Amino acid sequence: SWYCKSSSEKINQLDVAIKAISEVADNKKLSLFLVDVLPIPCLNIGTINNALHLEEKKNFFVRNASDCSYPLSELKQFKMPLSDVYSRASGMSSKVEYIDFSGSICRDNICDPLDKKGQLMFMDQSPHIALENMLFLKDMWKEVLLNSANHYLHLKDRD
């Protein structure tokens, strides 16, 4: 999550790089998906000791699930520098799509390390998806890819 806490210089470098990549995608008639930060477990209580073994981190998230929950607005504030870069890039080309799953993942505007069944969604603060829940983004990705394919076919029909 360096990009969220980075200096404005690093954010500007990222902005320039994404603009260049966007131009390549546009010229090659490729789609570019810019995926925003997923909800970070326990963002509100700070960084969890990275020296902990994976099982210890998972146990921490499960034991402290109620303390690790936080409003979606906190995540949006945390990731705003990156979100702004992605949003600007997507506005420059119809081939660049900004994707933010956080509104769908954070139920009732609360980001929680556990899903509605009580299963762990992420195994660390990177956030890497937990094996127990590895397909929870499947339907969201399916919708994104179907929409992209339909958009492409609509543009192709106009040509």
Side-chain angles (χ1 to χ4, degrees):
S1 60
W2 66 268
Y3 38 76
C4 295
K5 297 182 264 183
S6 287
S7 68
S8 59
E9 180 184 339
K10 285 186 180 180
I11 293 295
N12 289 336
Q13 290 171 351
L14 179 64
D15 195 24
V16 169
I18 288 179
K19 283 178 185 171
I21 293 168
S22 299
E23 287 177 20
V24 170
D26 224 17
N27 292 336
K28 301 276 186 186
K29 299 190 185 325
L30 301 172
S31 294
L32 175 63
F33 297 105
L34 301 173
V35 182
D36 210 334
V37 177
L38 294 174
I40 298 166
C42 305
L43 173 67
N44 57 329
I45 64 171
T47 305
I48 306 304
N49 182 353
N50 281 328
L52 290 176
H53 184 272
L54 185 58
E55 233 11 78
E56 292 172 304
K57 286 181 191 178
K58 289 169 66 174
N59 289 336
F60 177 87
F61 294 143
V62 171
R63 275 193 324 272
N64 297 288
S66 61
D67 293 332
C68 286
S69 298
Y70 56 91
L72 177 59
S73 58
E74 282 184 36
L75 176 65
K76 288 188 179 285
Q77 184 66 37
F78 175 78
K79 65 184 185 146
M80 188 181 298
L82 180 68
S83 301
D84 288 348
V85 168
Y86 284 0
S87 183
R88 278 193 304 274
S90 70
M92 294 171 44
S93 169
S94 64
K95 303 300 280 173
V96 178
E97 188 170 346
Y98 167 56
I99 301 167
D100 183 2
F101 293 130
S102 60
S104 299
I105 295 171
C106 298
R107 298 177 320 278
D108 300 322
N109 290 318
I110 299 294
C111 300
D112 192 323
L114 305 177
D115 68 9
K116 59 185 171 190
K117 297 176 193 165
Q119 288 187 314
L120 192 63
M121 293 198 308
F122 304 103
M123 59 188 191
D124 57 26
Q125 287 184 301
S126 291
H128 293 107
I129 296 170
L131 290 176
E132 303 88 345
N133 223 335
M134 66 182 166
L135 297 178
F136 83 93
L137 292 174
K138 178 184 74 161
D139 291 336
M140 291 177 231
W141 270 112
K142 183 178 179 181
E143 183 178 338
V144 165
L145 295 173
L146 284 172
N147 287 340
S148 180
N150 288 333
H151 179 72
Y152 172 77
L153 292 173
H154 176 73
L155 290 177
K156 193 171 180 177
D157 287 343
R158 288 190 345 199
D159 292 341

